[in-house]
Amino acid sequence: MDAKMTFSAQLRMVVDNGSLENCPVRQVMQGIFGKWSTLLLLALAEKPYRFGELRRLVPDISQRMLTQTLRDLERDGYVYREVYPTKPPSVEYGLTELGYSMLKPLTGLVEWASGNFEAVKEARDKFDRAG
Amino acid sequence: MDAKMTFSAQLRMVVDNGSLENCPVRQVMQGIFGKWSTLLLLALAEKPYRFGELRRLVPDISQRMLTQTLRDLERDGYVYREVYPTKPPSVEYGLTELGYSMLKPLTGLVEWASGNFEAVKEARDKFDRAG
DNA sequence: ACCGATAGTTACGTGAAAGGAACCGCCATG
DNA sequence: CATGGCGGTTCCTTTCACGTAACTATCGGT
C-alpha cells in the first residue's frame, strides 16, 4: 500500500490527523528510535538470542534497559518472546515477520549513517569552527 | 561504499569502536531522531521555506524548538541557511545534497511507518489486553 | 549451607530534551 | 508614536528516557 508517496503527502501523514500527538507515523517511529532499539533489532536479525546472550552481546546495556527495550519491541510486534520450561527457565527472543519487514527500511538508514558519518563529522567541525 | 552489509557487520559498526558513546552510527542517527527533525526535513524536501513559513506549516512547534532543530540540522550538513538582506531580513532554509541523500532512506522508514501503523496498533492492543 | 546462573522486578535518582513565556532589534505601516 | 511582522535569543520549568543499585525466585552444583 502507498507504494510511492510525494514528500508533501508524507508530510501530511506526519502533520495531520488532528494534533501531532496522535500522529500515527510519530507513534510508530518513537518505538523504533529508542537508545537501544536499533541495536537489539540488528542483533536479533542475525538469529534469535536468549536474554543472557543479548546482555553479553551488548555489554553496555543494563539489565533493566534490556528487559524494558525488549518488552517495548515485543509490544509493538517486532519481537517475539518464547519461554522454555528448562531449569532454570530460558527465554528466547527473535524477530517476527513484522520485525523483519521493518528492519529493511531501518537498515537502509543504518547503512546510510555508516557510509556518511565522515561527511556529517566534517559538516559539524566546519559549523563549530565558524562558531 | 559498503553497498551491502550483513546484519552482524552492521551490528559491529554500531557496537564497536570502543565504547558505544563514540559509535559513529549512533552519533549520526541521534541527529535525525529528534522530535521535530523528520517533520522539518520532509517539509524542506518539497521546497525551501522561510522561517515563518515553517512555523505556519508546523503549527505545534514553538519558535525556540524551530530555531534549535534547524540549527542542529544545519550543523550536521542536512540543511543550508541563507539570509537575504531584505527589510526585514528574510531567512531561507533548504536541503543540501547531503540532506536529500539522507532523506531517501529516511522516507523509506516513514513510508513503512505510514503503511504499517495499523499492524503496530493491533500488536499493542493485543499485548495490552493480554496484560 | 552457600554460591552462581537463569531472567527478571522494584525503587530511586539524574541529565538531556522539550515546552512556555518573555524579550530583542529592525523596519514598515497606519 | 505605536503596532505588527520578521527572525530570532534568554530564562525558567517540566517531563521523560535512561541509569544504578538492590531485591526476587528457582534450580544445580560443591
mmCIF file of all heavy atoms in Angstrom, chain D residues 7-21:
data_model
loop_
_atom_site.group_PDB
_atom_site.id
_atom_site.type_symbol
_atom_site.label_atom_id
_atom_site.label_comp_id
_atom_site.label_asym_id
_atom_site.label_seq_id
_atom_site.Cartn_x
_atom_site.Cartn_y
_atom_site.Cartn_z
ATOM 1 P P DG D 7 11.365 35.444 8.415
ATOM 2 O OP1 DG D 7 12.085 35.218 7.148
ATOM 3 O OP2 DG D 7 10.246 34.589 8.814
ATOM 4 O "O5'" DG D 7 12.442 35.448 9.592
ATOM 5 C "C5'" DG D 7 13.663 36.164 9.405
ATOM 6 C "C4'" DG D 7 14.455 36.141 10.682
ATOM 7 O "O4'" DG D 7 13.690 36.828 11.714
ATOM 8 C "C3'" DG D 7 14.727 34.734 11.247
ATOM 9 O "O3'" DG D 7 16.068 34.646 11.683
ATOM 10 C "C2'" DG D 7 13.783 34.650 12.427
ATOM 11 C "C1'" DG D 7 13.813 36.081 12.892
ATOM 12 N N9 DG D 7 12.739 36.402 13.826
ATOM 13 C C8 DG D 7 11.442 35.953 13.817
ATOM 14 N N7 DG D 7 10.732 36.407 14.808
ATOM 15 C C5 DG D 7 11.612 37.213 15.528
ATOM 16 C C6 DG D 7 11.420 37.967 16.713
ATOM 17 O O6 DG D 7 10.399 38.086 17.384
ATOM 18 N N1 DG D 7 12.577 38.633 17.107
ATOM 19 C C2 DG D 7 13.777 38.584 16.432
ATOM 20 N N2 DG D 7 14.777 39.281 16.945
ATOM 21 N N3 DG D 7 13.974 37.878 15.314
ATOM 22 C C4 DG D 7 12.855 37.218 14.925
ATOM 23 P P DG D 8 16.626 33.120 11.849
ATOM 24 O OP1 DG D 8 18.055 33.230 12.163
ATOM 25 O OP2 DG D 8 16.201 32.327 10.688
ATOM 26 O "O5'" DG D 8 15.831 32.531 13.124
ATOM 27 C "C5'" DG D 8 16.512 32.309 14.364
ATOM 28 C "C4'" DG D 8 16.672 33.600 15.155
ATOM 29 O "O4'" DG D 8 15.375 34.202 15.333
ATOM 30 C "C3'" DG D 8 17.203 33.435 16.566
ATOM 31 O "O3'" DG D 8 18.606 33.475 16.553
ATOM 32 C "C2'" DG D 8 16.609 34.615 17.323
ATOM 33 C "C1'" DG D 8 15.427 35.052 16.455
ATOM 34 N N9 DG D 8 14.135 34.970 17.147
ATOM 35 C C8 DG D 8 13.034 34.256 16.739
ATOM 36 N N7 DG D 8 12.011 34.387 17.530
ATOM 37 C C5 DG D 8 12.455 35.245 18.522
ATOM 38 C C6 DG D 8 11.792 35.772 19.664
ATOM 39 O O6 DG D 8 10.627 35.552 20.030
ATOM 40 N N1 DG D 8 12.608 36.605 20.412
ATOM 41 C C2 DG D 8 13.921 36.899 20.102
ATOM 42 N N2 DG D 8 14.554 37.713 20.945
ATOM 43 N N3 DG D 8 14.553 36.428 19.035
ATOM 44 C C4 DG D 8 13.769 35.617 18.300
ATOM 45 P P DT D 9 19.413 32.597 17.604
ATOM 46 O OP1 DT D 9 20.853 32.719 17.263
ATOM 47 O OP2 DT D 9 18.787 31.283 17.697
ATOM 48 O "O5'" DT D 9 19.184 33.358 18.994
ATOM 49 C "C5'" DT D 9 19.675 34.693 19.167
ATOM 50 C "C4'" DT D 9 19.328 35.176 20.568
ATOM 51 O "O4'" DT D 9 17.889 35.229 20.710
ATOM 52 C "C3'" DT D 9 19.846 34.261 21.695
ATOM 53 O "O3'" DT D 9 20.508 35.079 22.645
ATOM 54 C "C2'" DT D 9 18.580 33.628 22.262
ATOM 55 C "C1'" DT D 9 17.511 34.662 21.940
ATOM 56 N N1 DT D 9 16.142 34.122 21.767
ATOM 57 C C2 DT D 9 15.162 34.494 22.639
ATOM 58 O O2 DT D 9 15.357 35.247 23.576
ATOM 59 N N3 DT D 9 13.929 33.948 22.383
ATOM 60 C C4 DT D 9 13.589 33.085 21.348
ATOM 61 O O4 DT D 9 12.463 32.666 21.207
ATOM 62 C C5 DT D 9 14.682 32.735 20.470
ATOM 63 C C7 DT D 9 14.446 31.812 19.315
ATOM 64 C C6 DT D 9 15.884 33.259 20.714
ATOM 65 P P DT D 10 21.445 34.373 23.753
ATOM 66 O OP1 DT D 10 22.654 35.230 23.814
ATOM 67 O OP2 DT D 10 21.577 32.929 23.479
ATOM 68 O "O5'" DT D 10 20.642 34.543 25.118
ATOM 69 C "C5'" DT D 10 19.822 35.685 25.305
ATOM 70 C "C4'" DT D 10 18.970 35.515 26.550
ATOM 71 O "O4'" DT D 10 17.651 35.065 26.161
ATOM 72 C "C3'" DT D 10 19.490 34.497 27.569
ATOM 73 O "O3'" DT D 10 19.527 35.100 28.848
ATOM 74 C "C2'" DT D 10 18.481 33.361 27.524
ATOM 75 C "C1'" DT D 10 17.224 34.042 27.016
ATOM 76 N N1 DT D 10 16.329 33.166 26.210
ATOM 77 C C2 DT D 10 14.976 33.188 26.444
ATOM 78 O O2 DT D 10 14.464 33.895 27.289
ATOM 79 N N3 DT D 10 14.242 32.358 25.647
ATOM 80 C C4 DT D 10 14.717 31.507 24.657
ATOM 81 O O4 DT D 10 13.969 30.804 24.009
ATOM 82 C C5 DT D 10 16.142 31.531 24.472
ATOM 83 C C7 DT D 10 16.776 30.651 23.419
ATOM 84 C C6 DT D 10 16.872 32.350 25.246
ATOM 85 P P DC D 11 20.171 34.295 30.089
ATOM 86 O OP1 DC D 11 20.877 35.293 30.915
ATOM 87 O OP2 DC D 11 20.867 33.074 29.630
ATOM 88 O "O5'" DC D 11 18.856 33.859 30.885
ATOM 89 C "C5'" DC D 11 17.864 34.835 31.192
ATOM 90 C "C4'" DC D 11 16.639 34.156 31.783
ATOM 91 O "O4'" DC D 11 15.902 33.501 30.721
ATOM 92 C "C3'" DC D 11 16.953 33.078 32.820
ATOM 93 O "O3'" DC D 11 16.251 33.342 34.025
ATOM 94 C "C2'" DC D 11 16.503 31.773 32.179
ATOM 95 C "C1'" DC D 11 15.447 32.237 31.187
ATOM 96 N N1 DC D 11 15.284 31.338 30.008
ATOM 97 C C2 DC D 11 13.999 30.982 29.595
ATOM 98 O O2 DC D 11 13.024 31.435 30.214
ATOM 99 N N3 DC D 11 13.859 30.155 28.528
ATOM 100 C C4 DC D 11 14.931 29.697 27.892
ATOM 101 N N4 DC D 11 14.733 28.899 26.849
ATOM 102 C C5 DC D 11 16.256 30.052 28.299
ATOM 103 C C6 DC D 11 16.390 30.868 29.348
ATOM 104 P P DC D 12 16.588 32.480 35.340
ATOM 105 O OP1 DC D 12 16.534 33.394 36.495
ATOM 106 O OP2 DC D 12 17.784 31.645 35.108
ATOM 107 O "O5'" DC D 12 15.316 31.516 35.410
ATOM 108 C "C5'" DC D 12 13.996 32.066 35.255
ATOM 109 C "C4'" DC D 12 12.989 30.940 35.063
ATOM 110 O "O4'" DC D 12 13.076 30.443 33.711
ATOM 111 C "C3'" DC D 12 13.192 29.745 35.995
ATOM 112 O "O3'" DC D 12 12.031 29.545 36.792
ATOM 113 C "C2'" DC D 12 13.464 28.575 35.070
ATOM 114 C "C1'" DC D 12 12.887 29.040 33.739
ATOM 115 N N1 DC D 12 13.574 28.458 32.559
ATOM 116 C C2 DC D 12 12.816 27.800 31.582
ATOM 117 O O2 DC D 12 11.594 27.736 31.717
ATOM 118 N N3 DC D 12 13.452 27.252 30.514
ATOM 119 C C4 DC D 12 14.782 27.345 30.408
ATOM 120 N N4 DC D 12 15.353 26.789 29.341
ATOM 121 C C5 DC D 12 15.562 28.000 31.387
ATOM 122 C C6 DC D 12 14.936 28.540 32.443
ATOM 123 P P DT D 13 11.995 28.311 37.834
ATOM 124 O OP1 DT D 13 11.261 28.788 39.009
ATOM 125 O OP2 DT D 13 13.349 27.732 37.957
ATOM 126 O "O5'" DT D 13 11.084 27.257 37.057
ATOM 127 C "C5'" DT D 13 9.908 27.688 36.376
ATOM 128 C "C4'" DT D 13 9.264 26.493 35.662
ATOM 129 O "O4'" DT D 13 10.030 26.181 34.470
ATOM 130 C "C3'" DT D 13 9.220 25.210 36.502
ATOM 131 O "O3'" DT D 13 7.891 24.714 36.482
ATOM 132 C "C2'" DT D 13 10.217 24.284 35.828
ATOM 133 C "C1'" DT D 13 10.247 24.792 34.398
ATOM 134 N N1 DT D 13 11.530 24.588 33.680
ATOM 135 C C2 DT D 13 11.515 23.976 32.442
ATOM 136 O O2 DT D 13 10.499 23.575 31.906
ATOM 137 N N3 DT D 13 12.750 23.839 31.845
ATOM 138 C C4 DT D 13 13.970 24.251 32.361
ATOM 139 O O4 DT D 13 15.005 24.080 31.731
ATOM 140 C C5 DT D 13 13.913 24.875 33.659
ATOM 141 C C7 DT D 13 15.179 25.344 34.310
ATOM 142 C C6 DT D 13 12.716 25.018 34.251
ATOM 143 P P DT D 14 7.480 23.426 37.334
ATOM 144 O OP1 DT D 14 6.142 23.695 37.900
ATOM 145 O OP2 DT D 14 8.598 23.023 38.210
ATOM 146 O "O5'" DT D 14 7.318 22.319 36.200
ATOM 147 C "C5'" DT D 14 6.644 22.631 34.988
ATOM 148 C "C4'" DT D 14 6.900 21.514 33.975
ATOM 149 O "O4'" DT D 14 8.258 21.588 33.486
ATOM 150 C "C3'" DT D 14 6.727 20.098 34.551
ATOM 151 O "O3'" DT D 14 5.920 19.385 33.638
ATOM 152 C "C2'" DT D 14 8.145 19.554 34.602
ATOM 153 C "C1'" DT D 14 8.785 20.277 33.425
ATOM 154 N N1 DT D 14 10.262 20.388 33.431
ATOM 155 C C2 DT D 14 10.955 19.990 32.308
ATOM 156 O O2 DT D 14 10.420 19.541 31.320
ATOM 157 N N3 DT D 14 12.313 20.138 32.395
ATOM 158 C C4 DT D 14 13.037 20.645 33.458
ATOM 159 O O4 DT D 14 14.246 20.732 33.416
ATOM 160 C C5 DT D 14 12.243 21.046 34.601
ATOM 161 C C7 DT D 14 12.917 21.593 35.821
ATOM 162 C C6 DT D 14 10.915 20.901 34.533
ATOM 163 P P DT D 15 5.116 18.049 34.186
ATOM 164 O OP1 DT D 15 3.688 18.367 34.326
ATOM 165 O OP2 DT D 15 5.857 17.450 35.317
ATOM 166 O "O5'" DT D 15 5.288 17.086 32.929
ATOM 167 C "C5'" DT D 15 5.763 17.605 31.689
ATOM 168 C "C4'" DT D 15 6.798 16.674 31.074
ATOM 169 O "O4'" DT D 15 8.136 17.047 31.470
ATOM 170 C "C3'" DT D 15 6.630 15.195 31.471
ATOM 171 O "O3'" DT D 15 6.473 14.482 30.266
ATOM 172 C "C2'" DT D 15 7.950 14.863 32.178
ATOM 173 C "C1'" DT D 15 8.899 15.862 31.567
ATOM 174 N N1 DT D 15 10.122 16.197 32.341
ATOM 175 C C2 DT D 15 11.354 16.122 31.704
ATOM 176 O O2 DT D 15 11.476 15.776 30.541
ATOM 177 N N3 DT D 15 12.429 16.471 32.477
ATOM 178 C C4 DT D 15 12.403 16.877 33.808
ATOM 179 O O4 DT D 15 13.434 17.151 34.388
ATOM 180 C C5 DT D 15 11.085 16.939 34.406
ATOM 181 C C7 DT D 15 10.957 17.369 35.828
ATOM 182 C C6 DT D 15 10.031 16.599 33.659
ATOM 183 P P DC D 16 5.857 12.961 30.255
ATOM 184 O OP1 DC D 16 4.755 12.953 29.277
ATOM 185 O OP2 DC D 16 5.631 12.525 31.649
ATOM 186 O "O5'" DC D 16 7.058 12.092 29.659
ATOM 187 C "C5'" DC D 16 7.933 12.704 28.706
ATOM 188 C "C4'" DC D 16 9.273 12.015 28.720
ATOM 189 O "O4'" DC D 16 10.146 12.612 29.714
ATOM 190 C "C3'" DC D 16 9.207 10.531 29.072
ATOM 191 O "O3'" DC D 16 10.122 9.856 28.232
ATOM 192 C "C2'" DC D 16 9.686 10.499 30.520
ATOM 193 C "C1'" DC D 16 10.750 11.588 30.468
ATOM 194 N N1 DC D 16 11.162 12.136 31.782
ATOM 195 C C2 DC D 16 12.483 12.574 31.946
ATOM 196 O O2 DC D 16 13.261 12.497 31.004
ATOM 197 N N3 DC D 16 12.864 13.080 33.143
ATOM 198 C C4 DC D 16 11.983 13.161 34.143
ATOM 199 N N4 DC D 16 12.388 13.674 35.291
ATOM 200 C C5 DC D 16 10.633 12.710 33.993
ATOM 201 C C6 DC D 16 10.271 12.203 32.806
ATOM 202 P P DA D 17 9.665 8.501 27.465
ATOM 203 O OP1 DA D 17 8.773 8.838 26.335
ATOM 204 O OP2 DA D 17 9.222 7.545 28.503
ATOM 205 O "O5'" DA D 17 11.055 8.012 26.858
ATOM 206 C "C5'" DA D 17 11.921 8.961 26.280
ATOM 207 C "C4'" DA D 17 13.343 8.773 26.789
ATOM 208 O "O4'" DA D 17 13.465 9.305 28.127
ATOM 209 C "C3'" DA D 17 13.804 7.319 26.860
ATOM 210 O "O3'" DA D 17 15.027 7.194 26.151
ATOM 211 C "C2'" DA D 17 13.956 7.034 28.356
ATOM 212 C "C1'" DA D 17 14.177 8.403 28.955
ATOM 213 N N9 DA D 17 13.661 8.568 30.315
ATOM 214 C C8 DA D 17 12.416 8.233 30.771
ATOM 215 N N7 DA D 17 12.218 8.518 32.032
ATOM 216 C C5 DA D 17 13.413 9.089 32.433
ATOM 217 C C6 DA D 17 13.839 9.614 33.682
ATOM 218 N N6 DA D 17 13.070 9.637 34.777
ATOM 219 N N1 DA D 17 15.102 10.102 33.752
ATOM 220 C C2 DA D 17 15.863 10.075 32.654
ATOM 221 N N3 DA D 17 15.570 9.612 31.430
ATOM 222 C C4 DA D 17 14.312 9.127 31.393
ATOM 223 P P DC D 18 15.625 5.774 25.896
ATOM 224 O OP1 DC D 18 16.363 5.853 24.618
ATOM 225 O OP2 DC D 18 14.573 4.758 26.103
ATOM 226 O "O5'" DC D 18 16.693 5.663 27.063
ATOM 227 C "C5'" DC D 18 17.576 6.781 27.300
ATOM 228 C "C4'" DC D 18 18.199 6.643 28.662
ATOM 229 O "O4'" DC D 18 17.244 6.930 29.689
ATOM 230 C "C3'" DC D 18 18.731 5.248 28.997
ATOM 231 O "O3'" DC D 18 20.145 5.290 28.947
ATOM 232 C "C2'" DC D 18 18.190 4.952 30.391
ATOM 233 C "C1'" DC D 18 17.690 6.309 30.858
ATOM 234 N N1 DC D 18 16.575 6.259 31.839
ATOM 235 C C2 DC D 18 16.747 6.847 33.105
ATOM 236 O O2 DC D 18 17.811 7.385 33.376
ATOM 237 N N3 DC D 18 15.727 6.795 34.003
ATOM 238 C C4 DC D 18 14.586 6.189 33.682
ATOM 239 N N4 DC D 18 13.617 6.174 34.589
ATOM 240 C C5 DC D 18 14.391 5.585 32.392
ATOM 241 C C6 DC D 18 15.403 5.641 31.513
ATOM 242 P P DG D 19 21.014 4.027 29.455
ATOM 243 O OP1 DG D 19 22.338 4.089 28.805
ATOM 244 O OP2 DG D 19 20.192 2.805 29.322
ATOM 245 O "O5'" DG D 19 21.203 4.371 30.985
ATOM 246 C "C5'" DG D 19 21.900 5.559 31.357
ATOM 247 C "C4'" DG D 19 22.215 5.528 32.846
ATOM 248 O "O4'" DG D 19 20.999 5.750 33.587
ATOM 249 C "C3'" DG D 19 22.784 4.187 33.332
ATOM 250 O "O3'" DG D 19 23.918 4.389 34.155
ATOM 251 C "C2'" DG D 19 21.619 3.565 34.098
ATOM 252 C "C1'" DG D 19 20.848 4.776 34.592
ATOM 253 N N9 DG D 19 19.424 4.486 34.746
ATOM 254 C C8 DG D 19 18.565 4.035 33.771
ATOM 255 N N7 DG D 19 17.344 3.861 34.204
ATOM 256 C C5 DG D 19 17.396 4.214 35.548
ATOM 257 C C6 DG D 19 16.384 4.229 36.533
ATOM 258 O O6 DG D 19 15.190 3.914 36.417
ATOM 259 N N1 DG D 19 16.871 4.666 37.759
ATOM 260 C C2 DG D 19 18.166 5.028 38.009
ATOM 261 N N2 DG D 19 18.440 5.410 39.255
ATOM 262 N N3 DG D 19 19.124 5.019 37.096
ATOM 263 C C4 DG D 19 18.677 4.608 35.890
ATOM 264 P P DT D 20 24.771 3.083 34.654
ATOM 265 O OP1 DT D 20 26.101 3.269 34.093
ATOM 266 O OP2 DT D 20 24.031 1.839 34.382
ATOM 267 O "O5'" DT D 20 24.841 3.274 36.238
ATOM 268 C "C5'" DT D 20 23.962 4.187 36.886
ATOM 269 C "C4'" DT D 20 23.905 3.875 38.380
ATOM 270 O "O4'" DT D 20 22.509 3.741 38.760
ATOM 271 C "C3'" DT D 20 24.581 2.570 38.799
ATOM 272 O "O3'" DT D 20 25.169 2.753 40.067
ATOM 273 C "C2'" DT D 20 23.424 1.578 38.816
ATOM 274 C "C1'" DT D 20 22.247 2.446 39.241
ATOM 275 N N1 DT D 20 20.935 2.035 38.669
ATOM 276 C C2 DT D 20 19.813 2.065 39.477
ATOM 277 O O2 DT D 20 19.847 2.399 40.646
ATOM 278 N N3 DT D 20 18.648 1.690 38.863
ATOM 279 C C4 DT D 20 18.490 1.280 37.543
ATOM 280 O O4 DT D 20 17.396 0.959 37.096
ATOM 281 C C5 DT D 20 19.707 1.268 36.752
ATOM 282 C C7 DT D 20 19.658 0.845 35.309
ATOM 283 C C6 DT D 20 20.852 1.647 37.343
ATOM 284 P P DA D 21 26.045 1.512 40.727
ATOM 285 O OP1 DA D 21 27.197 2.134 41.422
ATOM 286 O OP2 DA D 21 26.274 0.456 39.729
ATOM 287 O "O5'" DA D 21 25.038 0.944 41.827
ATOM 288 C "C5'" DA D 21 24.226 1.844 42.551
ATOM 289 C "C4'" DA D 21 23.192 1.063 43.343
ATOM 290 O "O4'" DA D 21 22.028 0.813 42.515
ATOM 291 C "C3'" DA D 21 23.683 -0.307 43.819
ATOM 292 O "O3'" DA D 21 23.518 -0.380 45.227
ATOM 293 C "C2'" DA D 21 22.797 -1.322 43.077
ATOM 294 C "C1'" DA D 21 21.566 -0.495 42.748
ATOM 295 N N9 DA D 21 20.875 -0.919 41.538
ATOM 296 C C8 DA D 21 21.428 -1.226 40.316
ATOM 297 N N7 DA D 21 20.554 -1.579 39.396
ATOM 298 C C5 DA D 21 19.342 -1.496 40.060
ATOM 299 C C6 DA D 21 18.026 -1.742 39.636
ATOM 300 N N6 DA D 21 17.704 -2.131 38.398
ATOM 301 N N1 DA D 21 17.037 -1.560 40.546
ATOM 302 C C2 DA D 21 17.362 -1.171 41.793
ATOM 303 N N3 DA D 21 18.557 -0.914 42.298
ATOM 304 C C4 DA D 21 19.514 -1.096 41.371
#
